[in-house]
């Protein structure tokens, strides 16, 4: 038996390649390139807004070093990575979107002068408290092995990464090489002068570095709670969107509306295909990539009884004449803000009487929630309550509840929730379920405030085998979802109102799109 040379498993993925290593080759491949483009990119429209967000965050954690990683590339299979998307907190605080920048870390370093002023009780409310520095991996030189041989970061493999100067010009941030991060994290920590917080579950390697610094400085007590508090604060900072964020969501909604138009035009092809749901998914996905970064979440294209599975993303079923298709989809634009819209559409372009009956009940519930949102003093939780009042009354009228609507709405009842098990609303922004780590009193129990963007999305879901449902309604699923903005004057705006919502308008819209 021949002994094999020991080779780590991590290196064996390269066994299929023959990498040239001669000095002659390295000299040859580094030579003969033209100059790189002159000039620096323009400052991003998001840069000033991101700076204001960082300033707000810094005032909440005076004297502490805050570490916000973008995250790492993630293996899809073998040596292939998923397309990179930065952590939402990193995108919010830097203004960077799309695939910018794997392995980067934003650090808010406390300013020494600010600490001294605070100790003397002299810090003005708007005085800077931190310096923000972005640590990342800039492009390597053409004379390096990384340039031609690194399939993950090399310029010949994935394109040229930006320079420190280019990212600095784009973001307005001071930039440093990622190799200097370790020393930057440890500065003054050992002396007990600076506390460290890092966003949890964002980048395992960075979190391990922070843990090592803490252990060396004896600062491990309550570290998990400190990091959780940072994540909580970062979520709550996004509850009210600034002007730039609102415009980004508007753009995402507009692109999403065009995607729905594409879907309707392709319904005939979906009907002809054995996996027509995939046709719908693919058509919308093309629009999302053409106009934005991609999908804000996996598209739900649920025909017929599949619509009763709330998160149906297999999308492998047929699209049949006479049925409804529940489509829940959103375009994520390059800034990473997403829309989240649902429309339930008749495959033939016309609702049957039974379908219309269910659809109008859900529409009335959505309209009731929208009306409640516009009332002074409305709380986030009131939206769900308003929708449930309508649905419980309608189900009671159809004889589907064991008692009255009022009995069902009582906490000890809730029978109507058999057919509407999810919530009616969630915040929307960089994440489709945005601000998810905010405290209950800041989210569910909070007053609606200007700048909040959220969904209203009631539904009714009648499984084909649910014997408590009248036979003519079985197999019907309807959800209507719109994206709502609270304006500065407290009124509310349906950002997705351009997509028809009433049965008559939907039928006319579909007929016009089909010519």
């Amino acid at each position: 038996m021949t002994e094999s040379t020991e080779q780590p498993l991590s290196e064996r993925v390269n066994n299929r390649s023959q990498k040239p290593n001669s000095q002659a080759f390295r000299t040859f491949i580094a030579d003969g390139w033209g100059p790189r483009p002159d000039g620096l990119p323009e400052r991003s429209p998001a840069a000033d807004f991101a700076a204001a967000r960082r300033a707000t965050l810094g005032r909440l954690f005076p004297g502490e070093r805050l570490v916000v990683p973008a995250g790492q590339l993630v293996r899809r299979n073998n040596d292939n990575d998923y397309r990179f998307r930065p952590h939402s907190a990193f995108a919010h605080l830097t203004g960077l979107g799309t695939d910018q920048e794997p392995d980067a870390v934003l650090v808010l370093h406390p300013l020494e002068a600010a600490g001294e002023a605070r100790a003397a009780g002299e810090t003005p409310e708007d005085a800077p408290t931190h310096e923000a520095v972005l640590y990342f991996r800039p492009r390597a030189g053409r004379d390096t092995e990384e340039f031609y041989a690194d399939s993950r970061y090399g310029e010949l493999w994935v394109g040229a990464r930006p320079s420190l100067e280019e990212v600095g010009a784009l973001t307005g941030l001071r930039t440093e090489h990622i190799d200097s991060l370790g020393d930057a994290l440890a500065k003054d920590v050992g002396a007990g002068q600076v506390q460290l917080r890092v966003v949890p579950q964002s980048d395992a390697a960075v979190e391990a570095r922070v843990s090592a610094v803490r252990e060396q400085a004896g600062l491990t007590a309550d570290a998990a709670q400190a990091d959780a508090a940072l994540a909580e604060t970062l979520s709550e900072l996004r509850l009210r969107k600034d002007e730039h964020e609102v415009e980004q969501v508007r753009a995402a909604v507009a692109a999403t509306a065009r995607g729905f138009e594409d879907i309707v035009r392709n319904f005939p092809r979906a009907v002809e295909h054995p996996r027509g749901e995939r046709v719908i998914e693919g058509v919308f996905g093309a629009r999302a990539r053409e106009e934005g970064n991609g999908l804000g979440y996996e598209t739900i294209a649920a025909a017929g009884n599949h619509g009763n599975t709330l998160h149906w993303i297999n999308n492998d079923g047929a699209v049949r004449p006479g049925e409804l298709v529940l489509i829940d989809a959103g375009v994520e634009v390059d800034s990473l803000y997403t829309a989240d819209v649902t429309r339930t559409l008749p495959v033939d372009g016309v609702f049957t009487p039974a379908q219309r009956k269910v659809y109008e009940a859900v529409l009335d519930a959505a309209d009731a929630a929208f009306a409640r949102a516009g009332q002074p003093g409305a709380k986030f939780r009131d939206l769900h309550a308003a929708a449930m009042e309508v649905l419980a009354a309608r189900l009671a009228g159809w004889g589907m509840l064991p008692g009255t609507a009022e009995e069902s709405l009582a906490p000890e009842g809730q029978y109507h929730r058999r057919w509407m098990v999810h919530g009616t609303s969630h915040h929307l922004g960089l994440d489709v379920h945005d601000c998810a780590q905010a405290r209950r009193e800041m989210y569910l129990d909070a007053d609606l405030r200007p700048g909040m963007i959220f969904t209203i999305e009631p539904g009714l879901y009648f499984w084909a085998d649910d014997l408590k449902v009248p036979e003519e309604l079985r197999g019907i699923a309807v959800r209507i979802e719109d994206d709502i903005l609270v304006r500065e004057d407290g009124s509310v705006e349906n950002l997705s109102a351009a997509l028809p919502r009433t049965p008559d308008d939907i039928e006319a819209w579909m007929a016009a799109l089909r010519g």
Side-chain angles (χ1 to χ4, degrees), residues 21-38:
N21 284 314
S22 72
Q23 184 57 48
F25 171 80
R26 293 171 66 114
T27 300
F28 183 76
I29 199 170
D31 184 51
W33 300 97
R36 295 190 184 276
D38 291 331

Side-chain angles (χ1 to χ4, degrees), residues 281-300:
E281 175 189 336
V283 165
F284 189 85
R287 173 67 68 172
R289 282 297 287 164
E290 289 168 12
E291 295 206 23
N293 186 54
L295 300 171
Y297 52 95
E298 291 294 324
T299 297
I300 297 169

